[in-house]
Amino acid sequence: MLHTSYAPNWYQHHLPVLKTLVIKHHYQPHIEPLNFLGTIVMMSDKICNDICEVNDMLNNVSTTGNDNNVPICANCGKEGNDINNICNKCKMVKYCNAACKKKHRHKHKKDCDRRVAESHDIKLFKEPPPAEDCPICFIRIPILQTGSRYNTCCGKVICSGCVHAPVYDNQGNKVNEKTCPFCRIPQPKSTEEADTREKKRMEKDDPIAIYNIGNYHRDGRNGFPQDMDKALELWHRAAAELGYDVAYCNIGIAYEFGQGVEVDEEKARHYYELAAIGGNATARYNLGNKERKAGNIDRALKHYMIAVRGGYADSLKNIRQLYSDGYATKEDYMEALQLYQEYLVEIKSRQRNEAADAHEQYQYYK
């Protein structure tokens, strides 16, 4: 065993070698790089802090040279399959018991916070899931609200082009009565009938219907009483239980502007991030604005780029402004223009253009 009086010199001399061994996992049966860990508790606090980094790196690495990794306590160096007390935050470091976890906390905190932040950013800036296509023409649904319509009869979101296009029966005859382009059920003749259908959709756990009725409670319209608590309850149900990311964005807006709740910037950011991860471009744009306001231009630019890719035109304007102010490069602006052009190519169609030309309620891009 290494003598404690030589530990500082030995450690300083062999630290690069230890790191190399850890990174490359080049362990041989006759090499036992953790033998020195048994003496850590007898060393000074300074040496313990210095070795902490290596100790964390060696976590879950086998020292026997076989393929079965043996868990290692990050505090005392003990090995064994019973080392299963995991760090609650980063989930990457193990301990033999709660006492070791508590003793190691102050040494591990900095690396733990860094790992959690890095992991969060990877998830936050990951490419969002692809946008849905219209179930009739199979072309991407535009992000602009007037570019699509939710149908309370079947729960389908239909693009403006297919909504405006004439409907034909099985014999190819044009149907004069206004019907749903997808299920062919006649459209509701009154707001009351539409609300009744939407309530039925809500009972079937349709997230869009739940979200819409939440909006009605927020605004006190369509015969629903104004009740912000009820609106938040429905948005949480649509988002958390059914994965409708737009509802998370509404919750974020509520906390940012104090709609029915106390203003809470931290919670607003949290819900914007949940919505952005789910693919909501509005929430992504809002996050970009927050980062820009805080002076985090690089992070703001990342958010704006993802929002532009999702079709959010105002993000393109903000990137252009950053370029004009010298905070973004020409290449950044050119990339944003290309991303928005790619979005337009994906959503454009002759049928949608005809609908937009016929009435402004069918406009589907800015």
Side-chain angles (χ1 to χ4, degrees), residues 256-277:
E256 181 172 11
F257 297 103
Q259 298 175 351
V261 291
E262 294 292 330
V263 172
D264 191 322
E265 285 292 329
E266 186 175 344
K267 286 186 177 180
R269 178 183 290 274
H270 170 70
Y271 286 110
Y272 282 151
E273 288 181 349
L274 289 176
I277 291 171

Side-chain angles (χ1 to χ4, degrees), residues 5-275:
S5 61
Y6 296 101
N9 291 334
W10 185 92
Y11 162 69
Q12 292 294 337
H13 178 71
H14 290 284
L15 179 58
V17 178
L18 283 172
K19 286 186 176 181
T20 302
L21 287 170
V22 171
I23 294 171
K24 294 185 177 181
H25 288 190
H26 285 173
Y27 289 98
Q28 302 297 329
H30 63 281
I31 297 178
E32 297 183 1
L34 289 182
N35 281 348
F36 74 98
L37 292 175
T39 65
I40 291 179
V41 294
M42 296 181 289
M43 296 166 138
S44 68
D45 288 340
K46 181 178 183 302
I47 297 175
C48 288
N49 289 334
D50 290 340
I51 296 179
C52 178
E53 178 186 0
V54 176
N55 203 4
D56 282 356
M57 291 169 67
L58 291 171
N59 180 56
N60 290 334
V61 177
S62 173
T63 62
T64 60
N66 56 37
D67 293 333
N68 298 321
N69 289 340
V70 179
I72 302 168
C73 176
N75 181 61
C76 68
K78 177 184 174 182
E79 297 183 23
N81 292 326
D82 59 338
I83 310 299
N84 53 18
N85 198 322
I86 303 175
C87 173
N88 297 331
K89 289 184 67 177
C90 70
K91 313 292 184 184
M92 295 178 68
V93 177
K94 293 184 178 181
Y95 303 95
C96 52
N97 52 49
C100 273
K101 181 192 288 188
K102 184 176 181 180
K103 186 174 182 180
H104 190 248
R105 185 178 300 157
H106 73 283
K107 303 171 187 176
H108 175 59
K109 185 179 186 304
K110 185 177 180 180
D111 282 340
C112 182
D113 291 343
R114 174 181 55 80
R115 289 169 180 169
V116 170
E118 289 174 352
S119 177
H120 176 72
D121 277 0
I122 290 173
K123 187 176 182 180
L124 178 61
F125 292 110
K126 183 180 178 181
E127 187 70 22
E132 293 186 3
D133 295 338
C134 172
I136 297 177
C137 65
F138 300 107
I139 300 175
R140 179 175 176 176
I141 292 286
I143 187 177
L144 203 63
Q145 190 171 6
T146 52
S148 63
R149 179 185 296 174
Y150 170 74
N151 291 273
T152 56
C153 45
C154 56
K156 298 295 183 182
V157 177
I158 312 296
C159 77
S160 57
C162 292
V163 169
H164 177 261
V167 177
Y168 297 90
D169 61 21
N170 295 334
Q171 283 74 40
N173 300 315
K174 184 177 179 180
V175 178
N176 293 323
E177 183 182 14
K178 287 191 173 295
T179 62
C180 171
F182 187 82
C183 67
R184 306 301 175 89
I185 292 178
Q187 293 183 2
K189 296 178 172 58
S190 65
T191 302
E192 290 74 15
E193 185 180 353
D195 291 341
T196 300
R197 289 184 180 183
E198 205 146 28
K199 288 177 182 178
K200 290 181 179 179
R201 296 299 310 172
M202 184 175 72
E203 292 171 0
K204 295 181 179 181
D205 285 339
D206 184 327
I208 301 179
I210 295 170
Y211 166 79
N212 286 344
I213 292 177
N215 290 346
Y216 301 155
H217 279 292
R218 175 197 60 195
D219 303 333
R221 59 187 172 91
N222 286 37
F224 292 88
Q226 189 167 28
D227 186 342
M228 197 62 196
D229 289 338
K230 186 64 176 180
L232 288 167
E233 176 190 330
L234 292 172
W235 291 338
H236 275 288
R237 179 183 169 192
E241 297 180 18
L242 301 170
Y244 193 57
D245 58 82
V246 182
Y248 274 136
C249 185
N250 274 24
I251 298 172
I253 291 171
Y255 277 107
E256 181 172 11
F257 297 103
Q259 298 175 351
V261 291
E262 294 292 330
V263 172
D264 191 322
E265 285 292 329
E266 186 175 344
K267 286 186 177 180
R269 178 183 290 274
H270 170 70
Y271 286 110
Y272 282 151
E273 288 181 349
L274 289 176

